[in-house]
Amino acid sequence: MDYAQALWDYHNTGTSLEQADVIVGLGSYDLRVADRCAELYAEGWAPLVIFTGASGNWTSGKLAGSEAQAFSDRAIALGVPQHAVRLEETATNISENIRFVRAHAPGAGKVIWVTKPQTQRRVSATLPVSWPGVISIITAPQHGLAAQPVAHHSFEALVSEMVGDTWRMAAYADKGFQARQPLGPDVQMAFDQLVAAGFTDHLPPTVRSLLDR
């Protein structure tokens, strides 16, 4: 649990809220992201909400349509008016989420990005590459590690997700997909120990095979 908490803390890099032009909900398996978008809209932080996401590894077959559509339906049910919602239904990763939303909101100067708590660092690292110059506020549902697992994404799956995303910090920076992120010794130790404990499902197969040697 201590190692899982270390990765959770590492990936939680949210910023203070500011008034913005648009709220963007990044699609995933977690509908609480849509709840957070609806909450921010109701509080008046931005006049428009864009939901982005096709269907990914964790949502394929679990949603009636795209992630964006499922999030939109949830937000509208919570009171966000239809006219204030736009959909982007083709993005399959964070880089595409950002780039494709940019095309939907070309005049936006300040954007509130809403994602899962443990994905905030990946969003902040991807923004300088995929939408340089935009002013970004990053937030997530407001709960801790213990509350993050859901029925269809267990604690074990969550830890594997955080392990995989920690590996991606350096790997994606090397490929030019993200800005490089610091990785302190406590985070490296947590990563190594969780890999040794078998939380490797979110790592590419080639990486898993190397780490298993």
Side-chain angles (χ1 to χ4, degrees):
M1 283 299 297
D2 288 344
Y3 295 136
Q5 187 68 54
L7 294 194
W8 175 266
D9 293 343
Y10 175 69
H11 287 290
N12 271 262
T13 56
T15 54
S16 299
L17 289 173
E18 298 179 24
Q19 207 73 30
D21 300 306
V22 60
I23 298 163
V24 177
L26 277 68
S28 69
Y29 61 80
D30 195 344
L31 284 169
R32 290 172 295 185
V33 172
D35 298 350
R36 178 67 167 157
C37 291
E39 175 186 358
L40 296 174
Y41 179 86
E43 292 174 355
W45 291 103
L48 175 67
V49 184
I50 300 177
F51 291 111
T52 170
S55 183
N57 293 333
W58 286 317
T59 57
S60 182
K62 295 182 174 67
L63 302 174
S66 67
E67 294 167 358
Q69 184 64 62
F71 277 32
S72 172
D73 292 345
R74 177 75 160 241
I76 290 170
L78 290 171
V80 179
Q82 179 78 55
H83 68 79
V85 176
R86 294 180 189 170
L87 300 186
E88 187 295 300
E89 299 182 272
T90 57
T92 58
N93 56 58
I94 290 174
S95 177
E96 289 183 352
N97 287 140
I98 295 169
R99 289 188 289 110
F100 296 171
V101 163
R102 183 181 184 181
H104 278 257
K110 187 179 292 187
V111 178
I112 298 173
W113 304 90
V114 187
T115 186
K116 305 188 304 296
Q118 72 275 15
T119 317
Q120 291 176 96
R121 183 176 287 274
R122 282 195 61 200
V123 174
S124 66
T126 307
L127 277 162
V129 174
S130 295
W131 195 346
V134 72
I135 299 171
S136 292
I137 299 96
I138 301 171
T139 188
Q142 304 291 287
H143 57 246
L145 172 62
Q148 182 56 31
V150 292
H152 54 280
H153 199 76
S154 67
F155 176 78
E156 290 76 15
L158 169 62
V159 175
S160 291
E161 178 186 353
M162 293 192 295
V163 166
D165 281 354
T166 302
W167 174 83
R168 285 168 175 78
M169 290 299 108
Y172 282 12
D174 289 343
K175 294 180 178 181
F177 299 160
Q178 295 181 175
R180 194 162 298 280
Q181 298 293 296
L183 191 71
D186 57 332
V187 176
Q188 185 65 58
M189 176 180 289
F191 173 83
D192 293 341
Q193 292 296 324
L194 290 167
V195 166
F199 292 97
T200 58
D201 288 351
H202 192 46
L203 292 169
T206 53
V207 174
R208 289 204 303 269
S209 64
L210 289 172
L211 292 172
D212 286 341
R213 291 180 181 176

